Amino acid sequence: MSLNDVPSGERVHIGFFGRRNAGKSSVVNAVTNQELSVVSDVRGTTTDPVTKSMELLPMGPVVIIDTPGFDDTGELGAKRVAATRRVLERTDVAVLVVDATQGMQPCDHQLVSLFEDRGIPYLLAMTKADLLDEVPTADANEVYVSSTERTGIEGLKERIAALGENDAPEPGLVGDLMGRGSVVVLVIPIDKAAPKGRLILPEQQVIRDLLDSGATTMVVQDTELADALGRLREPPSLVITDSQVFKEVAAIVPDDVLLTSFSILMARHKGYLAEAVRGVSAVAGLHDGDRILVAEGCTHHRQCNDIGTVKIPRWMREYTGLDLTFESSSGRGFPDDLTRYALVVHCGGCMLNGREVCHRMRQATDQGVPMTNYGVLIAQMRGILRRSLRVLPDVEKELDE
């Protein structure tokens, strides 16, 4: 996989924040060595977050985000500030750009508080240093830079890289669970919803992760699974399936063979699986008329038998026997207010970084709304949740608490 192919959800997200006309866009352009953002002396030139996936040495693949000024005013300005706040939900490393000729202002202190409240590592880029009579000695988390003279930029990049490396890594996917030489069978149905000529992202990532771990991987359709298992001299170490065919696959795979799904593993990788397992218990307490939010982290063309808008609502109505109301969200259109919902059902989150998915989980928890995951919910409705978590005993224990 080339750097250009690294999905956004697996890249370090670096957000640049600050007041209007502090020089954010100039610093972003200097750091990226590209004219990524429009630069002007007019306050508020950046009106929406500007995002760019790129390679930033020495870090590697990253997402750079230039945000509107956090001190914007008026009705439109308030919307821009709200957009900047949403960027915080997916920021792994924050750079606060401060006009060194003016020093820290109340708005800058407010941003620092937001970084600290969210546990986001941050740096202060004291810009316009070329306009100072004398550049002061920088504090531990400060770097003095000049976008005009390009001084301090390399030092800023090195400091950003160091913070990115220190940020807590996302949990493993599956390779760390399998020893070298393990045989893992992947069940991937090919139907109308399958993208033509390619695999969906979680399937690609699982295959690569298993290859890196030294495991032997067999990929089959659900219709070929029984024959494939019969060809193996010994049972596989693990079977991983698309959650949509959990029921059919569980009936074929012997009970003493570990079984789980791509969606469950992706929830583990993004860091919210234990909470999703706890959240699924809310299904037993649903009532007629309850409203369910089905949330996806990506936007895609929905097929006639789409899992989020068709299959899950149908399966939940059949499983509960209740008249439930379903709403859906996609991409970054996750609602701020979740209190109208009795349950949130989220996809694996492959297109979101771990910080953003976990933010959504905390948001739901803070509002008293349970949240679960596609794979966990489907396993529960198929009566195989405990079995699907057997490969993850630390998470399986959640069912006993």
Side-chain angles (χ1 to χ4, degrees):
M1 179 180 290
S2 69
L3 286 169
N4 288 335
D5 294 329
V6 176
S8 173
E10 301 299 314
R11 294 171 178 258
V12 176
H13 285 54
I14 305 167
F16 287 76
F17 302 86
R19 296 181 293 117
R20 288 174 294 169
N21 216 31
K24 294 187 306 300
S25 297
S26 295
V27 172
V28 169
N29 289 345
V31 166
T32 61
N33 201 28
Q34 297 180 19
E35 294 300 314
L36 179 63
S37 300
V38 176
V39 176
S40 169
D41 291 333
V42 178
R43 291 165 61 86
T45 301
T46 303
T47 58
D48 294 292
V50 178
T51 301
K52 172 70 174 180
S53 295
M54 61 176 295
E55 179 187 4
L56 180 63
L57 295 176
M59 292 186 74
V62 301
V63 174
I64 300 290
I65 311 171
D66 185 13
T67 64
F70 202 69
D71 61 339
D72 213 337
T73 58
E75 182 178 352
L76 184 57
K79 293 181 178 179
R80 294 170 180 165
V81 171
T84 298
R85 283 182 175 271
R86 286 194 292 273
V87 170
L88 287 168
E89 299 168 6
R90 63 184 192 270
T91 298
D92 295 308
V93 176
V95 179
L96 175 56
V97 179
V98 179
D99 186 337
T101 66
Q102 300 179 13
M104 293 280 288
Q105 301 296 312
C107 173
D108 300 316
H109 290 292
Q110 183 183 2
L111 279 164
V112 168
S113 295
L114 291 172
F115 301 155
E116 293 177 345
D117 288 346
R118 288 162 173 76
I120 302 173
Y122 66 93
L123 283 171
L124 305 183
M126 309 299 292
T127 192
K128 305 182 184 180
D130 55 299
L131 301 181
L132 298 175
D133 293 333
E134 183 178 353
V135 177
T137 301
D139 290 339
N141 69 331
E142 291 180 344
V143 180
Y144 279 84
V145 301
S146 169
S147 302
T148 302
E149 299 183 354
R150 296 192 62 82
T151 56
I153 298 300
E154 290 304 314
L156 176 61
K157 290 165 64 175
E158 291 173 1
R159 296 286 298 278
I160 292 172
L163 285 182
E165 291 172 356
N166 293 334
D167 197 27
E170 291 181 331
L173 187 54
V174 66
D176 59 313
L177 303 174
M178 297 289 104
R180 182 168 293 275
S182 299
V183 176
V184 182
V185 176
L186 309 183
V187 184
I188 301 176
I190 302 298
D191 54 21
K192 290 182 179 179
K196 186 175 181 180
R198 61 184 178 87
L199 301 177
I200 62 174
L201 183 56
E203 296 163 354
Q204 297 176 43
Q205 290 180 281
V206 165
I207 291 172
R208 179 53 194 262
D209 199 37
L210 288 169
L211 289 173
D212 288 341
S213 72
T216 299
T217 306
M218 174 185 288
V219 183
V220 299
Q221 296 189 50
D222 53 311
T223 52
E224 317 302 325
L225 176 60
D227 181 62
L229 292 178
R231 292 170 180 263
L232 294 175
R233 288 181 295 180
E234 296 179 359
S237 303
L238 174 66
V239 175
I240 306 171
T241 181
D242 187 303
S243 301
Q244 298 182 67
V245 291
F246 240 149
K247 179 179 179 181
E248 296 81 358
V249 171
I252 296 171
V253 177
D255 190 60
D256 59 349
V257 174
L258 293 173
L259 169 67
T260 193
S261 78
F262 293 103
S263 182
I264 287 174
L265 293 175
M266 189 56 64
R268 178 203 185 216
H269 181 50
K270 297 300 179 180
Y272 74 106
L273 178 57
E275 291 85 351
V277 171
R278 288 194 289 269
V280 79
S281 63
V283 174
L286 294 175
H287 302 89
D288 274 331
D290 277 346
R291 195 176 300 273
I292 313 297
L293 175 66
V294 181
E296 294 184 335
C298 63
T299 55
H300 62 272
H301 176 68
R302 298 189 183 278
Q303 304 289 330
C304 59
N305 206 21
D306 179 69
I307 183 171
T309 57
V310 178
K311 290 183 178 179
I312 285 179
R314 181 176 73 239
W315 291 337
M316 286 192 69
R317 291 186 180 109
E318 292 171 352
Y319 178 74
T320 63
L322 300 173
D323 182 16
L324 303 171
T325 300
F326 290 86
E327 296 180 4
S328 62
S329 69
S330 60
R332 295 207 155 85
F334 194 72
D336 292 327
D337 183 6
L338 301 173
T339 55
R340 62 194 299 229
Y341 303 108
L343 177 68
V344 176
V345 183
H346 206 288
C347 71
C350 64
M351 296 303 293
L352 306 175
N353 67 349
R355 188 177 288 272
E356 185 165 9
V357 183
C358 288
H359 171 82
R360 293 182 176 191
M361 177 62 78
R362 287 193 300 272
Q363 180 181 336
T365 300
D366 291 346
Q367 296 181 32
V369 179
M371 176 169 146
T372 191
N373 157 275
Y374 280 18
V376 172
L377 174 64
I378 295 171
Q380 170 74 8
M381 293 190 294
R382 299 313 187 203
I384 57 170
L385 180 56
R386 184 176 293 277
R387 182 181 180 186
S388 71
L389 297 175
R390 198 181 301 158
V391 69
L392 300 163
D394 289 345
V395 180
E396 184 186 5
K397 290 188 299 186
E398 297 289 340
L399 299 176
D400 301 319
E401 297 178 359

